[in-house]
Amino acid sequence: MIPAPFDYAAPKTLGEAFALLEQHGDEAKILAGGHSLLPMMKLRFASPSFLVDINNIPGLSYIRESDGYLRIGAMTREAELEHSGLISSKYPIFTDASKLIADPQVRNMGTIGGNLAHGDAANDHPAVMLAMRAEVVVSSSEGQRVVPIDEFFFGFYMTAVQPNEILTEIRIPIPPAHTGSAYHKLERKVGDYATAGVAVQLTLGRDGICSHAGIGLTNLNPTPMRASRSEEALIGEKLTDAVIARAAEMAAEDCNPSEDLRGDEEYKRAMAGVLTRRMIHRALDRAKA
Amino acid sequence: MKKEITVTINGETRTATVEPRMLLAHFIREQLRLTGTHIGCDTSNCGACTILVNGKSIKSCTMLAIQADGKEIITVEGLATVDGLHPIQEGFHLNHGLHCGYCTPGMMLRAVELLAGNPNPSEEEIRWGISGNLCRCTGYNNIVKAIQYAGAKMRGEELPSTEPQFV
Ligand SMILES: Cc1cc2nc3c(=O)[nH]c(=O)nc-3n(C[C@H](O)[C@H](O)[C@H](O)COP(=O)(O)OP(=O)(O)OC[C@H]3O[C@@H](n4cnc5c(N)ncnc54)[C@H](O)[C@@H]3O)c2cc1C
Ligand code: FES
Ligand code: FES
């Protein structure tokens, strides 16, 4: 199967890319790793008349810590996250997620920016970003704006990124000491999208009381979902098995999964609960380590 | 609008005119007439179309030919040299790593990148490493053995037995 005809440009600077986006408006699509967009174009679910390939723009791929943030360039490939020493030593939640995303070939191409900008609740990074309270930097010819992750996902395949804008960076506040995080998804086979997925980040204060909690859910709602009630159930508490079990139950109650080939609603709710419980425990172990 | 691209494929430089929507897999098979790269699905799942672009294994059905402009491509036709088969080809041959052979070119190119990054992978690392390549015939065991054989040969070690094992 081949995509419908389109025209194509591969600008070498962000400025040229912005000019092309302005010229073509919402007829244009940005091509990053292409591993969500091209499959959709092959199936003719998407038929943009112009592609702006941003792979040749230098400076959009990096992983570094500065000014209190972990900063990840939008064009950083999944494989680069997977093999980064900084990520595996300090942010194991990404290592948990990266190796569950698709397969090695897809990870050689797919970018973290594309994973978020696609706006698909089945993708894995959105839940991770919700748990870590990320901010998304979106750029245009008019400058930059910073969008908190809670204001980023609008609806099915819809995000805060406007047709004249390019997502350029993801910023994650560097968590304080005694923070732990973890992600897991239930999948039918290696590389499948999640039946259910849960990301958790926790910070413990003195006396082991939970001071911060972030919980994001994958594929359990039409948009990537924050399990707010579960977070509140943890904050200010000592994380006993009973407290954790109650928070997990709340995630199962609050999510809105839809029945599909991966399972019916009841099953997915049950899995949301199980995974939330397990990921809280894993994040807690890492916070204590 | 058609555009001119130049790629280096298996060491040879080729220039051609392509429509932007032409997929790299179709370009390689239909325009360059290198039909060793197979197409096994329409959903970017099977890995039969895997090739190396600038040393990275990618699914050529999910990249545009125009994106390969200026890049170096290796397909299965580029593995053997005048001195004989590539160790990975020898491994598949001696270990019966294929039945119908449809998945084999993609498996081998994926294995080449895997071994380049991790010359002595564990069995688990091999199985994770080929998780983007589906084989509907072999049951994978002999593919794993073929990759282990190629790894040993490339490391210059004594070669594992290729006698069939009955379990
Ligand atoms: C077989 C297969 C299995 C997969 N399994 C998983 C999985 O398990 N989990 C998972 O999370 N994902 C999975 N994916 C999706 C994969 O991770 C994609 O790479 C990712 O969703 C999109 O990133 P991309 O860089 O490929 O973006 P593209 O496909 O290039 O773009 C996706 C969308 O985002 C827009 N976009 C991209 N970058 C930007 C930017 N910088 N600024 C503004 N807009 C932008 C594009 O215009 C397009 O609308 C799978 C894909 C395949 C083919
Ligand atoms: S043909 Fe199946 S992944 Fe490319
Ligand atoms: S040998 Fe037939 S699909 Fe692998």
Side-chain angles (χ1 to χ4, degrees):
Chain A
M1 276 192 279
I2 55 170
F6 56 84
D7 213 344
Y8 166 97
K12 297 221 158 52
T13 65
L14 273 178
E16 288 169 48
F18 294 142
L20 287 163
L21 291 175
E22 272 157 29
Q23 187 188 337
H24 294 278
D26 55 14
E27 291 292 296
K29 274 270 178 202
I30 292 166
L31 177 67
H35 274 57
S36 288
L37 184 56
L38 293 176
M40 287 182 74
M41 290 171 65
K42 284 163 70 177
L43 298 169
R44 308 272 173 121
F45 292 150
S47 356
S49 65
F50 199 93
L51 282 193
V52 180
D53 180 350
I54 59 172
N55 284 276
N56 297 339
I57 302 175
L60 292 177
S61 173
Y62 52 84
I63 304 170
R64 60 170 175 256
E65 290 179 323
S66 66
D67 304 325
Y69 286 99
L70 168 68
R71 293 165 193 266
I72 306 178
M75 288 302 287
T76 305
R77 313 274 168 190
E78 299 295 346
E80 290 167 322
L81 283 171
E82 194 184 354
H83 297 120
S84 152
L86 173 65
I87 294 291
S88 57
S89 64
K90 286 189 68 180
Y91 302 94
I93 190 171
F94 279 113
T95 316
D96 294 346
S98 311
K99 76 173 222 240
L100 294 173
I101 293 178
D103 56 57
Q105 289 96 311
V106 174
R107 295 199 291 271
N108 273 341
M109 290 298 286
T111 67
I112 186 162
N115 199 292
L116 296 180
H118 192 48
D120 187 345
N123 274 5
D124 295 293
H125 281 302
V128 172
M129 297 301 159
L130 284 165
M132 300 184 91
R133 300 190 192 274
E135 294 169 0
V136 182
V137 181
V138 182
S139 308
S140 71
S141 58
E142 284 147 37
Q144 281 191 349
R145 58 193 186 98
V146 179
V147 185
I149 195 71
D150 287 283
E151 293 163 26
F152 187 77
F153 301 106
F154 269 103
F156 198 52
Y157 296 135
M158 272 163 46
T159 71
V161 182
Q162 298 303 306
N164 64 330
E165 292 179 320
I166 299 178
L167 192 171
T168 46
E169 184 179 88
I170 294 110
R171 288 184 188 165
I172 293 154
I174 296 177
H178 310 296
T179 296
S181 58
Y183 181 73
H184 193 61
K185 72 172 175 189
L186 179 67
E187 50 185 359
R188 294 175 303 177
K189 57 171 258 301
V190 171
D192 191 22
Y193 290 97
T195 303
V198 179
V200 173
Q201 176 167 286
L202 300 171
T203 304
L204 300 179
R206 260 182 232 140
D207 314 329
I209 301 289
C210 174
S211 59
H212 299 275
I215 303 180
L217 307 181
T218 301
N219 228 359
L220 288 164
N221 190 64
T223 52
M225 181 181 157
R226 177 180 295 289
S228 310
R229 224 163 41 105
S230 308
E231 292 174 351
E232 283 155 23
L234 300 178
I235 296 168
E237 300 290 332
K238 192 154 177 71
L239 300 183
T240 60
D241 287 354
V243 167
I244 293 172
R246 185 69 198 114
E249 260 168 47
M250 287 172 175
E253 286 162 18
D254 294 353
C255 67
N256 305 292
S258 46
E259 176 172 340
D260 61 16
L261 291 172
R262 294 186 180 86
D264 61 21
E265 189 190 320
E266 198 185 348
Y267 172 64
K268 290 184 180 184
R269 274 189 200 283
M271 293 306 105
V274 170
L275 286 171
T276 305
R277 181 166 48 77
R278 288 188 191 164
M279 289 309 103
I280 295 173
H281 278 289
R282 188 173 297 167
L284 184 59
D285 288 344
R286 287 177 177 171
K288 287 177 181 164
Chain B
M1 215 208 303
K2 287 198 168 189
K3 305 230 157 101
E4 192 178 89
I5 62 167
T6 301
V7 300
T8 307
I9 185 153
N10 304 326
E12 197 186 323
T13 303
R14 303 280 294 265
T15 296
T17 310
V18 297
E19 251 191 279
R21 66 169 164 166
M22 177 169 257
L23 301 172
L24 184 53
H26 291 139
F27 174 70
I28 290 169
R29 289 178 55 82
E30 287 157 26
Q31 223 155 315
L32 302 182
R33 307 303 287 174
L34 294 169
T35 52
T37 300
H38 294 165
I39 297 176
C41 72
D42 278 320
T43 52
S44 312
N45 274 287
C46 74
C49 64
T50 301
I51 59 169
L52 299 181
V53 174
N54 287 359
K56 300 261 181 239
S57 57
I58 60 104
K59 295 178 177 175
S60 60
C61 72
T62 314
M63 185 168 174
L64 303 169
I66 202 167
Q67 289 182 278
D69 189 20
K71 304 248 155 68
E72 247 177 68
I73 298 173
I74 306 282
T75 65
V76 68
E77 291 90 345
L79 286 179
T81 62
V82 283
D83 299 327
L85 294 179
H86 186 283
I88 193 73
Q89 292 174 305
E90 199 177 297
F92 271 76
H93 172 206
L94 293 174
N95 289 282
H96 309 279
L98 61 146
H99 291 183
C100 78
Y102 205 83
C103 69
T104 316
M107 283 286 182
M108 292 199 296
L109 287 153
R110 174 62 206 130
V112 168
E113 191 202 4
L114 174 69
L115 292 171
N118 182 359
N120 193 3
S122 65
E123 177 176 342
E124 196 189 340
E125 286 168 336
I126 293 175
R127 289 185 184 272
W128 271 100
I130 56 169
S131 59
N133 297 73
L134 298 181
C135 176
R136 298 286 88 148
C137 303
T138 63
Y140 301 99
N141 284 344
N142 288 352
I143 294 178
V144 172
K145 280 199 233 157
I147 297 172
Q148 285 167 333
Y149 176 97
K153 175 139 194 189
M154 289 159 83
R155 294 191 304 273
E157 284 171 17
E158 199 182 320
L159 298 173
S161 157
T162 54
E163 290 298 309
Q165 285 165 18
F166 300 99
V167 278

